[in-house]
């Protein structure tokens, strides 16, 4: 009789050990597959997700010298043709064009006094672009297109009657509070 009981206990031990091992293997494999699937799906989606591709904290080292050059400090957040190379000047639109009613505003550091200034980038509207004008794309502080309202690759002539883009002026509005 005691041998029967021993056998029964042995059978119970073996059965529970086997089912425990099976469960451990099965759950382990499943959770591994689930995790690997998540990683693979993430890797496949990565190129289409809207990452912030802006330069982030990269500072624009503006220069004082030449307002006809993109590195001139007041052009730190500009996206467009310089009006000073398109028949106008740093702050005035070329003849036959008018300033945009809406504008992009940037904050640029003046290397002369190391202070930050608000600069308004108004587009000049109403005439076709001069092919020889200098095109700048500094756009400091800009965010990608999906951050609407913080994107600068926009025709600011949109609110004018004549929406044809010509060039962009850089007008200092004042010292930025900071
Ligand atoms: N703000 C300059 C501009 C004009 C047209 C299209 C993109 C950018």
């Amino acid at each position: 009789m005691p041998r029967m009981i021993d056998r029964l206990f042995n059978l119970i031990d073996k059965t529970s050990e086997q089912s425990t091992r099976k469960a451990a293997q099965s759950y382990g494999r499943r959770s591994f597959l689930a995790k690997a699937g998540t990683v693979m799906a993430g890797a496949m989606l990565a190129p289409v997700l809207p990452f912030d591709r802006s330069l982030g904290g990269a500072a624009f080292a503006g220069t004082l010298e030449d307002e006809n050059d993109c590195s001139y400090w007041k052009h730190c957040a500009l996206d467009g043709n310089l009006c000073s190379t398109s028949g106008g000047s740093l702050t005035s639109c070329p003849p036959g064009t008018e300033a945009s009613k809406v504008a992009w505003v940037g904050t640029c550091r003046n290397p002369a006094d190391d202070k930050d200034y608000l600069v308004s980038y108004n587009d000049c509207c109403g005439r076709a672009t001069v092919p020889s004008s200098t095109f700048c794309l500094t756009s400091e502080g800009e965010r990608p297109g999906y951050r609407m309202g913080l994107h600068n690759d926009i025709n600011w002539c949109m609110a004018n009657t004549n929406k044809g883009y010509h060039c962009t002026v850089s007008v200092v509005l004042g010292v930025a509070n900071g």
Side-chain angles (χ1 to χ4, degrees):
M1 193 69 177
R3 288 185 70 189
M4 273 289 268
I5 285 181
D6 282 350
R7 268 197 202 152
L8 186 63
F9 279 137
N10 276 345
L11 186 68
I12 291 170
D13 279 354
K14 223 171 198 152
T15 312
S16 57
E17 185 192 333
Q18 276 172 353
S19 58
T20 308
R21 279 184 194 281
K22 219 173 186 176
Q25 279 175 355
S26 163
Y27 288 130
R29 199 163 34 225
R30 272 200 205 127
S31 74
F32 169 77
L33 285 175
K35 280 179 190 151
T38 307
V39 170
M40 271 154 52
M44 277 161 56
L45 277 176
V48 297
L49 287 174
F51 285 110
D52 185 343
R53 297 177 204 283
S54 66
L55 292 175
F60 175 88
T63 58
L64 278 168
E65 288 85 30
D66 186 1
E67 64 187 44
N68 293 335
D69 196 284
C70 296
S71 66
Y72 185 60
W73 74 273
K74 289 179 189 171
H75 302 326
C76 85
L78 193 150
D79 176 350
N81 303 309
L82 300 182
C83 285
S84 55
T85 64
S86 308
S89 73
L90 178 67
T91 55
S92 62
C93 288
T97 66
E98 60 171 10
S100 60
K101 291 183 166 52
V102 289
W104 166 263
V105 176
T107 306
C108 301
R109 180 150 300 178
N110 182 349
D113 59 9
D114 226 24
K115 285 187 179 152
D116 291 330
Y117 289 81
L118 285 181
V119 183
S120 178
Y121 298 100
N122 290 75
D123 288 344
C124 296
C125 321
R127 258 177 57 197
T129 301
V130 178
S132 61
S133 64
T134 302
F135 173 76
C136 301
L137 180 57
T138 43
S139 284
E140 182 161 290
E142 184 197 34
R143 290 294 173 264
Y146 63 87
R147 298 282 309 274
M148 281 170 70
L150 299 175
H151 190 60
N152 189 24
D153 190 13
I154 286 171
N155 182 357
W156 298 106
C157 297
M158 66 172 101
N160 289 47
T161 307
N162 196 333
K163 299 176 191 348
Y165 171 75
H166 189 76
C167 62
T168 307
V169 290
S170 305
V171 182
V172 171
L173 300 176
V175 181
N177 289 326

